Amino acid sequence: MVLGPVPGAAADNNWWEPTARPAPDSQINVTGEPFKGTDAQGNVRGFVDAHDHIMSNEGFGGRLICGKPFSDAGIADALKDCPEHYPDGSLAIFDFITKGGDGKHDPDGWPTFKDWPAHDSLTHQQNYYAWIERAWRGGQRVLVNDLVTNGVICSVYFFKDRSCDEMTAIRLEAKKTYDMQAYVDKMYGGPGKGWFRIVTDSAQARDVIKQGKLAVVLGVETSEPFGCKQILDVAQCGKADIDKGLDELYNLGVRSMFLCHKFDNALCGVRFDEGALGTAINVGQFLSTGTFWKTEACTGPQHDNPIGLAPAAAAEKELPAGVSVPSYASGAQCNTRGLTDLGDYAVRGMMKRKMMLELDHMSVKAAGQAFDIMETENYPGVISSHSWMDLGWMERLYKLGGFATAYMGGSEGFSAEAKRTDALREKYNVGYGYGTDMNGVGGWPGPRGANTPNPVTYPFRSTDGGSVIDKQTTGQRTWDLNTDGASHYGLVPDWIEDIRIVGGQGVVDDLFKGAESYLRTWGNSEQHKAGVNLAAGQPSSASTSEWWNPFVSFAPGLAFDGNRGSRWASEWNDDQWLQVDLGSQQLVKRVTLDWEAAYGRSYRIEVSTNGTDWTTAWSTTAGDGGVDTARFAGVPARYVRVHGAGRGTQWGYSLHEVGVYSS
C-alpha cells in the first residue's frame, strides 16, 4: 500500500503549514491536514499530555536543562549544549546523579545530535517547538505545560545565572510560554494564527481543538509555592501569602497545580522518591527544611513510594559535617506529614478559584485529606497526571469527575497499566491520557530494539487516518523509535503507534478520547457550585455539650453556623448524638462532617421524618477523623442525626461543621 495524505474537505490553503518557518530548522516529517471539528456526538477528539515541562530550562537557576524550546536566533542557538559540558561532558554534574556513570557525552546539539536528545539524557532540551509541532500534527490536542523549578537544586548547582527564588522562575516560565506562542504566530502571519494556543478556560480550549490546533494549559509544579516552605516544622507563609499567590498564578493563566513536590513544605507532605534519586532529594529536603523525611507504618492499603535508600555521593557531599541520611524501617512506608491547616486553606482556595488540584506528589495522608475536602463539595477538579497516585484511589478520583493519565513509560508497561484500569474508565465513561514529563528529569521509554518482532514500521498513519508520519529528522540525525526510544517530544506519535502495535487499538482509542475527558473535568470544575447546606442555621440539639470554660461555648448550633473556627463538643462518653431539624422534609443524599481532633471511630448517620422514629442511612466503624463524607441513596428526612457509637480518642466527639445535602 502506498501511503499518502488524505485531502481535507476544504484545503484552506494548507493552513497548517507556516508561511515563514526559520531556515535552517528541524523537519516535521508529517504530511496531511490535521483533523478539525468534533465527532458525531459533539465530542472533541485527540490525545492529551497532562504533564510536560516546556520551559524548565528557565528554572533551577537557568542552566540545569541545556537548550531552549525556541530562539529568535534560530535552531543553532536553541539546541546547543550548556557551555560547562564542553568538551566531553565532564562537568555535567547533574548527569552524575540522574544517569550514573561519569556524565560524559558529546555536547554538540545542532546539527549532529550524536548523544542528545536521548531517552536517558535528562539534562538536555526535549521540547523544541518543532518537535511539539510534530506531536500536534500526529493527533495531540491538549498539552499541559507545568511551570517548574526547585530552589534547593538551584542553590546547590554550581552553574546558574539567576536567582533561585521559585516564584520568580515561575513568572519567567509563564512569560516565555506566551513568547513561544507569539514566536509560532509570527510564522503563520500574526497574532492568533499559529497552532500553539494558550487557553484559560475549557470553552476556549474546545474552540481551539475544533479548529484543529493545540490547546496549551498552564500548570505549576514546584516545591515551595508562594514561598510556603517550612523550616524545622515552622511555616514560612500564611493565608495572605496563599491568597496572593493563587490570585497571581490565576492571573498568569495557571489553571492547575501541585501544592507540594519533592520536599515537604508548609502545605503538605510528599510522596517519596526511590533509589539514588530519592536519597538525593532527601538531602535536598534537609537543606530546604532542616529535617529529613519522616516515616510511619501506613494505616490503610495505600502507601507512599518506597523511600530512597541507595547512596547518592554527589548529593550527600552537600550535607553539613556529621549529618547523614537516616535509615528507615522497611515496614514504615508512609510519610508522617499530611495536609496542614495551611494546605487545607490552599485546597479550598483552589476550589474557590475553580482551579484543578494535582495529587500525584502528595503523600498518601495528604492526598486522602485533599480527597476528603473535595468530596464534601462534590468538586470534580482533581488530576493524576503521571502515575504517582495510588491505584486504589483511582475510582475515588473518577467518582468525583477527575481525570487520570499514566507516565510515558514503555509501550508494554503503559499498555498493561491502561488495561488494568480499563474497566473503571468504561464504568465512568472517561478517556485516558499520558504524562510525558519531558524536561522533567524522569527518563523515557527506551528502544525495543531493531530486531523486535513487532516494530514500528515507517511511514505509518496517524490515529485519525488523515496524516502520514515518517521518521523524524533534525539536522544530521534521524530518530527511529525502535532503536532510539522516545528521545524527544517529536517521537510521541511514534510511541503511540508502538502502543497500538503492542497494546492494541483499544488502548489508543481510549487515549484518543483523552482530550474530551480532560476538558469535561475542567469544564465541570469551572461550572461547579457548592451545594446548599440544608442544615445551615437550622435548630439543633445534642445528647450533651461539653462545658468546662464559661467563656467558650460548645453548643450544638456551632456545628451548623458556617464557621470552621467554632465547634460542638460532647461529653467524654461513647454514646452521644448531634441532630438538626431541617424545618421541612427534604431529600437527603449526602452528609459531610468536619471533625475536630476528637473524632468518631464508629458512628452512623440516622434520618427521621418525625424526630421519633430513626433509620440508619449510613454507618462506619473505621472513622479516621479529618473530613468525612457519607453518601447514600436519597432518603426523605426532616431530621438528621450523627450518632456516635465509639470514640476515636479519649475525649468525646467534636465537629466544626456538619453539612446536609440533597445532591
Side-chain angles (χ1 to χ4, degrees):
M1 181 180 68
V2 177
L3 290 178
V6 177
D12 282 350
N13 298 318
N14 290 355
W15 62 270
W16 59 93
E17 295 287 358
T19 57
R21 189 186 297 277
D25 203 1
S26 172
Q27 297 179 36
I28 307 301
N29 307 105
V30 179
T31 55
E33 180 179 1
F35 58 88
K36 294 182 178 181
T38 60
D39 65 16
Q41 290 73 44
N43 298 318
V44 299
R45 299 166 293 163
F47 306 116
V48 53
D49 178 359
H51 195 109
D52 187 31
H53 301 292
I54 300 175
M55 296 297 168
S56 63
N57 59 291
E58 302 292 352
F60 309 99
R63 299 283 281 277
L64 189 70
I65 304 295
C66 303
K68 296 177 278 192
F70 75 99
S71 171
D72 290 329
I75 191 170
D77 178 63
L79 296 182
K80 64 182 180 183
D81 209 335
C82 297
E84 59 271 14
H85 287 198
Y86 287 90
D88 62 358
S90 294
L91 293 180
I93 305 299
F94 204 68
D95 284 17
F96 283 61
I97 299 173
T98 61
K99 192 176 180 180
D102 58 10
K104 291 184 179 181
H105 63 274
D106 184 329
D108 285 341
W110 175 268
T112 55
F113 297 108
K114 181 177 182 294
D115 284 342
W116 69 271
H119 71 92
D120 58 353
S121 176
L122 309 189
T123 61
H124 297 90
Q125 183 59 242
Q126 295 174 295
N127 278 311
Y128 186 59
Y129 91 91
W131 299 338
I132 297 174
E133 179 179 349
R134 176 179 161 91
W136 159 62
R137 293 282 299 275
Q140 187 168 306
R141 291 297 179 267
V142 176
L143 188 158
V144 179
N145 177 31
D146 283 321
L147 314 175
V148 64
T149 191
N150 183 290
V152 172
I153 291 176
C154 171
S155 68
V156 301
Y157 193 52
F158 300 114
F159 307 108
K160 51 181 171 285
D161 55 21
R162 63 196 65 174
S163 160
C164 291
D165 179 71
E166 293 194 356
M167 290 303 290
T168 299
I170 295 303
R171 295 181 191 107
L172 177 61
E173 290 182 40
K175 177 185 180 299
K176 288 289 187 178
T177 309
Y178 284 99
D179 289 347
M180 181 164 154
Q181 177 178 254
Y183 179 81
V184 174
D185 279 351
K186 187 176 180 180
M187 293 183 212
Y188 286 79
K193 295 188 176 181
W195 53 269
F196 185 92
R197 312 305 320 151
I198 299 170
V199 295
T200 55
D201 63 59
S202 62
Q204 186 183 15
R206 287 185 180 278
D207 187 56
V208 163
I209 296 170
K210 288 175 185 176
Q211 296 174 43
K213 299 182 180 183
L214 178 69
V216 179
V217 184
L218 297 185
V220 165
E221 183 183 38
T222 194
S223 295
E224 295 162 356
F226 334 126
C228 281
K229 68 183 298 177
Q230 58 159 341
I231 299 177
L232 298 176
D233 294 321
V234 177
Q236 305 298 299
C237 70
K239 292 180 178 179
D241 299 301
I242 293 169
D243 283 328
K244 181 181 177 182
L246 285 174
D247 286 341
E248 179 184 7
L249 291 178
Y250 191 91
N251 290 334
L252 287 173
V254 172
R255 295 297 181 266
S256 70
M257 71 176 295
F258 295 79
L259 289 179
C260 48
H261 176 239
K262 300 304 182 186
F263 306 150
D264 295 341
N265 61 24
L267 306 176
C268 46
V270 294
R271 290 183 75 104
F272 310 126
D273 278 80
E274 304 178 49
L277 182 60
T279 301
I281 292 172
N282 202 5
V283 169
Q285 156 95 6
F286 179 86
L287 297 176
S288 173
T289 69
T291 60
F292 291 104
W293 288 327
K294 298 174 184 175
T295 66
E296 63 185 7
C298 303
T299 58
Q302 285 75 31
H303 56 80
D304 293 324
N305 295 331
I307 201 163
L309 296 175
E316 292 175 87
K317 288 178 182 177
E318 300 295 329
L319 290 171
V323 176
S324 60
V325 178
S327 59
Y328 295 93
S330 60
Q333 200 176 323
C334 279
N335 194 335
T336 61
R337 194 173 182 86
L339 200 66
T340 67
D341 288 344
L342 287 174
D344 181 299
Y345 185 82
V347 170
R348 296 177 192 274
M350 290 183 66
M351 292 164 57
K352 178 181 175 182
R353 293 164 179 81
K354 313 301 184 187
M355 298 171 74
M356 293 178 285
L357 175 66
E358 294 263 13
L359 292 184
D360 278 4
H361 282 286
M362 281 185 172
S363 68
V364 160
K365 185 179 288 188
Q369 292 166 322
F371 265 126
D372 288 344
I373 293 169
M374 290 183 288
E375 285 166 347
T376 65
E377 302 285 352
N378 269 346
Y379 188 73
V382 55
I383 302 288
S384 173
S385 63
H386 60 349
S387 298
W388 274 50
M389 196 187 72
D390 198 292
L391 182 62
W393 277 345
M394 195 68 79
E395 184 160 17
R396 200 173 178 186
L397 176 144
Y398 284 140
K399 235 180 225 186
L400 274 172
F403 181 74
T405 77
Y407 189 85
M408 185 188 184
S411 55
E412 299 98 330
F414 185 95
S415 299
E417 180 63 20
K419 290 173 181 178
R420 189 155 66 117
T421 55
D422 183 64
L424 270 181
R425 291 194 301 280
E426 185 174 349
K427 178 178 179 180
Y428 291 96
N429 189 29
V430 294
Y432 205 35
Y434 46 85
T436 63
D437 202 14
M438 287 203 173
N439 285 4
V441 198
W444 298 274
R448 289 202 293 124
N451 297 321
T452 184
N454 52 348
V456 171
T457 303
Y458 294 92
F460 59 88
R461 282 204 181 277
S462 59
T463 299
D464 65 289
S467 296
V468 175
I469 303 170
D470 210 340
K471 293 179 183 178
Q472 201 284 316
T473 296
T474 304
Q476 299 171 15
R477 177 82 183 271
T478 296
W479 280 270
D480 181 329
L481 187 84
N482 301 300
T483 54
D484 296 312
S487 299
H488 62 68
Y489 208 91
L491 295 174
V492 168
D494 312 50
W495 173 71
I496 292 173
E497 172 68 2
D498 202 36
I499 289 172
R500 185 191 68 79
I501 293 167
V502 171
Q505 187 64 43
V507 179
V508 176
D509 288 344
D510 262 10
L511 289 172
F512 204 60
K513 296 190 294 186
E516 173 64 31
S517 288
Y518 178 87
L519 294 184
R520 282 184 197 167
T521 292
W522 189 6
N524 289 338
S525 302
E526 293 168 324
Q527 297 165 20
H528 176 264
K529 294 181 181 178
V532 176
N533 183 359
L534 303 174
Q538 297 292 346
S540 58
S541 57
S543 54
T544 62
S545 292
E546 186 177 339
W547 190 92
W548 57 271
N549 185 333
F551 302 103
V552 179
S553 174
F554 299 104
L558 296 175
F560 306 101
D561 65 352
N563 177 11
R564 296 186 70 243
S566 63
R567 61 188 174 98
W568 163 74
S570 77
E571 292 181 352
W572 297 6
N573 298 303
D574 282 334
D575 188 20
Q576 302 287 337
W577 52 262
L578 170 71
Q579 77 178 49
V580 62
D581 178 357
L582 303 180
S584 62
Q585 189 166 295
Q586 305 281 346
L587 181 68
V588 177
K589 289 186 175 180
R590 178 168 57 101
V591 175
T592 63
L593 303 100
D594 187 349
W595 295 99
E596 192 256 351
Y599 66 94
R601 175 77 66 190
S602 174
Y603 65 92
R604 56 189 181 269
I605 306 299
E606 299 173 331
V607 295
S608 173
T609 57
N610 58 17
T612 302
D613 303 307
W614 295 91
T615 301
T616 298
W618 183 93
S619 65
T620 183
T621 58
D624 59 359
V627 181
D628 288 340
T629 299
R631 299 175 188 272
F632 41 85
V635 293
R638 173 171 174 171
Y639 302 90
V640 177
R641 186 162 71 183
V642 181
H643 199 147
R647 293 167 290 158
T649 69
Q650 64 186 12
W651 304 291
Y653 304 92
S654 185
L655 285 158
H656 287 295
E657 282 293 306
V658 175
V660 178
Y661 301 92
S662 60
S663 62

